[in-house]
Amino acid sequence: MTDIKVFSPIPELSNYVRYYWILKCNERFRILTFPIGCPQIIFHRKNPLYIPELNSHQSRFTISGQVNFPAHIEATDGADMVVAVFYPHTIGYFINTTPSAFYNLEISGYDIGDKVLDTFAARIMDNGSDVQCITILNNWLLSKLRQQPVVQEKRIGTAIPIILNNPQTPVYDLAEHACLSKKQFERLFREYVGMNPKEYARVVRFQKSMWLLQQGSRDFTGIACNCGYSDQSHFIREFKSMSGLTPKQLTATCQPYSDLFTHP
């Protein structure tokens, strides 16, 4: 049996946390995952998942950064996970390290060396009540947010909707919109988002193409045009780089789903 619940953050966190989700499963599973464009903090109330591509298990307390490759996750005896999904540029407010430090990585939250954070994680993992876990998450994240400045985050935040709407927007234009030089913008974007603007645009194009497939489109030429790929061949090549499958192969094996362009 598999049960997935989705929770919204409190209003004060709505510009920083997209949503929380809790997965409970009593069965063994193996799932192929894709770059979603949003970092996550994961708490395992049962055994952590195994990632064969990295030849490692997740920590019970895992911080998942921006990635540009597909990976499988495996559970041998089911799972019980509490996950916080952040906006592309906001996780740095809540942990004492910059997102660029875990680009293409999943790191253990225990490695950050924050004893307060470790205590908070233990409260989540040892609590069997889903509602109480979400309350603990909301309260802790809000307490961290109140300690942080917001000026630079807002500058980068102005660029994110532009990239989501038009991934091929030149970096110079993004920098100008954020009132920063190109060099400053690229540095701050990498610091807050965890990858450079051009690499993030690749993830956005992929997720946008997944959303169009999710809506039922199988016009690969049209999808390539709508998502900013140079042509259909470019679309298929980039899609396979991000998912491990061609669009035709993916739609034949599973239902496409865009994490970035779908709000559950």
Side-chain angles (χ1 to χ4, degrees):
M1 182 183 72
T2 300
D3 181 36
I4 299 177
K5 297 178 181 177
V6 178
F7 299 83
S8 297
I10 56 176
E12 295 91 333
L13 292 170
S14 61
N15 290 328
Y16 302 90
V17 180
R18 290 186 64 204
Y19 56 90
Y20 309 113
W21 58 272
I22 295 178
L23 167 68
K24 294 180 180 180
C25 179
N26 297 323
E27 303 171 348
R28 179 173 184 167
F29 64 80
R30 174 185 169 97
I31 299 172
L32 180 62
T33 64
F34 313 120
I36 70 170
C38 294
Q40 304 172 81
I41 298 181
I42 304 167
F43 307 89
H44 290 283
R45 294 188 292 190
K46 289 180 65 174
N47 293 331
L49 303 177
Y50 177 67
I51 305 173
E53 285 82 0
L54 301 179
N55 192 28
S56 66
H57 285 84
Q58 292 179 333
S59 168
R60 284 197 71 201
F61 171 26
T62 292
I63 299 173
S64 180
Q66 299 282 6
V67 300
N68 62 6
F69 62 89
H72 289 86
I73 53 173
E74 299 179 357
T76 56
D77 60 350
D80 188 347
M81 305 165 57
V82 180
V83 182
V85 181
F86 296 85
Y87 284 99
H89 59 300
T90 59
I91 193 173
Y93 276 85
F94 307 103
I95 56 176
N96 295 328
T97 188
T98 59
S100 58
F102 46 95
Y103 168 58
N104 272 348
L105 294 172
E106 290 193 330
I107 65 172
S108 171
Y110 299 119
D111 291 342
I112 294 177
D114 185 334
K115 292 183 179 180
V116 174
L117 186 59
D118 295 347
T119 300
F120 154 73
R123 291 179 63 200
I124 296 289
M125 294 181 293
D126 295 339
N127 196 311
S129 167
D130 295 345
V131 172
Q132 288 181 14
C133 282
I134 299 303
T135 299
I136 294 169
L137 264 170
N138 276 323
N139 290 340
W140 179 78
L141 292 174
L142 185 60
S143 72
K144 293 290 289 186
L145 180 62
R146 287 172 175 157
Q147 302 171 21
Q148 302 293 336
V150 297
V151 175
Q152 301 294 20
E153 179 271 329
K154 286 184 177 180
R155 289 180 184 271
I156 299 303
T158 62
I160 298 298
I162 298 173
I163 299 174
L164 294 179
N165 183 61
N166 186 12
Q168 59 268 39
T169 302
V171 176
Y172 279 109
D173 292 350
L174 296 171
E176 183 177 354
H177 193 84
C179 299
L180 294 165
S181 70
K182 179 176 180 290
K183 186 175 181 179
Q184 286 176 314
F185 176 78
E186 289 177 324
R187 177 179 61 81
L188 287 171
F189 192 96
R190 186 165 52 250
E191 179 180 334
Y192 279 88
V193 177
M195 57 172 48
N196 66 54
K198 289 185 178 180
E199 188 70 11
Y200 188 71
R202 289 184 63 224
V203 175
V204 172
R205 280 195 295 268
F206 165 72
Q207 281 288 326
K208 192 171 184 179
S209 69
M210 284 283 280
W211 184 80
L212 291 172
L213 292 172
Q214 179 183 333
Q215 302 308 304
S217 174
R218 298 298 182 265
D219 176 9
F220 296 157
T221 300
I223 291 175
C225 180
N226 287 331
C227 297
Y229 295 101
S230 57
D231 53 34
Q232 182 176 324
S233 295
H234 181 212
F235 162 52
I236 293 173
R237 184 169 64 252
E238 284 284 289
F239 192 95
K240 188 171 184 179
S241 172
M242 292 282 176
S243 70
L245 302 166
T246 67
K248 186 175 181 179
Q249 289 170 334
L250 185 138
T251 54
T253 57
C254 67
Q255 175 62 37
Y257 180 82
S258 169
D259 293 89
L260 187 59
F261 286 92
T262 305
H263 195 84

